[in-house]
Amino acid sequence: MPRTFKKLKLEMSERDFGEFAIEIAQAYVSSDFKSKAEIANEYELNQRAVTDFMDYAIIHYLVNDDMVDQMERKSIKNQSKHSPDRSAESTIAHYRMLRKKRAELAICELSDDRIRQIAERFANETDKTKGDIAIMYGLSKAIIDIILKKAITEGICDDNTFIKIEQRSLKNCAKDNYEKTKKFFHQLQERRNANKQNFFA
């Protein structure tokens, strides 16, 4: 009888469960020809479990961004083949949701000290790109962006670090994005001020 995601979650250690999720994700992207049904058959799973394991690997940051992109591309291709209107909108929406949950979980697991450290590093180590800093912490650039926003708006970083982040961002943005970026940092400043007021209220 095919095994289910829930059953295996109860039976396996957290580490083994995570490693199995990675294995399923790798099996899915390793061949253009393997369907979820074939993977389910190979690993003695029901088909729903294959999807659940892939989602788990994405949300829990067990696979890198490149693999997430590969998984999405294959899922879009497969849905386009089999949907009556050749549309892959539901797959695109599903992966958007997974990436959002992935970012939220990654940030929730970071302490304020780690968030402050990342913000200060971005502010002070101007020889390193955002991509460099993301690699150092095993995160994506998109998550670094969210971390910097959180550090600023929640007052996790000090004012000097905030100013340096703003200056660096304005210096590196495209000319046609300068005013938009300036407005964005003004909004962050307002949220930062509002949080300070609420804290002292």
Side-chain angles (χ1 to χ4, degrees):
M1 186 177 173
R3 299 175 297 171
T4 66
F5 179 84
K6 284 182 180 177
K7 185 173 186 293
L8 288 172
K9 202 169 195 326
L10 291 170
E11 291 176 356
M12 299 170 87
S13 69
E14 190 177 343
R15 182 176 176 173
D16 288 345
F17 190 78
E19 286 176 356
F20 190 65
I22 295 167
E23 192 176 334
I24 296 297
Q26 287 172 336
Y28 183 70
V29 299
S30 65
S31 168
D32 284 338
F33 310 107
K34 262 186 189 171
S35 66
K36 285 182 183 175
E38 287 171 311
I39 292 166
N41 187 50
E42 190 178 322
Y43 286 90
E44 298 175 353
L45 300 168
N46 66 11
Q47 200 169 322
R48 175 70 206 177
V50 174
T51 301
D52 289 342
F53 273 112
M54 286 167 53
D55 290 357
Y56 183 89
I58 292 169
I59 292 168
H60 291 267
Y61 232 89
L62 302 177
V63 292
N64 62 27
D65 290 342
D66 184 51
M67 188 176 280
V68 177
D69 292 343
Q70 289 178 59
M71 291 161 77
E72 181 177 23
R73 282 195 298 270
K74 183 170 177 181
S75 296
I76 287 169
K77 190 176 171 184
N78 287 348
Q79 191 185 2
S80 298
K81 271 185 200 170
H82 299 111
S83 64
D85 59 355
R86 303 284 181 196
S87 168
E89 282 180 24
S90 63
T91 295
I92 292 165
H94 182 69
Y95 273 83
R96 192 182 301 125
M97 176 273 294
L98 292 176
R99 283 190 175 91
K100 186 181 176 189
K101 286 187 175 181
R102 174 181 172 90
E104 286 169 355
L105 187 64
I107 291 161
C108 283
E109 290 178 347
L110 292 173
S111 67
D112 283 359
D113 283 342
R114 180 51 64 95
I115 290 169
R116 187 180 301 108
Q117 184 187 82
I118 292 169
E120 287 174 355
R121 202 155 201 175
F122 179 79
N124 297 314
E125 297 182 22
T126 53
D127 59 318
K128 293 184 176 71
T129 66
K130 194 179 288 176
D132 292 335
I133 291 168
I135 289 166
M136 282 179 206
Y137 291 94
L139 300 168
S140 69
K141 286 200 288 184
I143 290 177
I144 296 293
D145 282 332
I146 298 168
I147 286 167
L148 295 176
K149 274 196 275 189
K150 184 178 173 75
I152 291 164
T153 57
E154 295 184 14
I156 295 169
C157 67
D158 61 25
D159 290 341
N160 188 45
T161 301
F162 171 38
I163 290 165
K164 285 181 179 178
I165 292 170
E166 181 178 14
Q167 288 172 342
R168 177 175 177 174
S169 301
L170 288 169
K171 184 181 175 183
N172 293 331
C173 75
K175 279 185 181 178
D176 54 347
N177 269 340
Y178 185 85
E179 288 304 320
K180 188 179 175 183
T181 305
K182 203 168 181 180
K183 185 179 177 183
F184 172 73
F185 275 95
H186 179 69
Q187 290 168 343
L188 293 183
Q189 178 74 69
E190 286 181 337
R191 284 167 63 189
R192 181 179 176 87
N193 292 343
N195 281 333
K196 278 184 182 177
Q197 286 168 9
N198 290 338
F199 181 77
F200 291 111

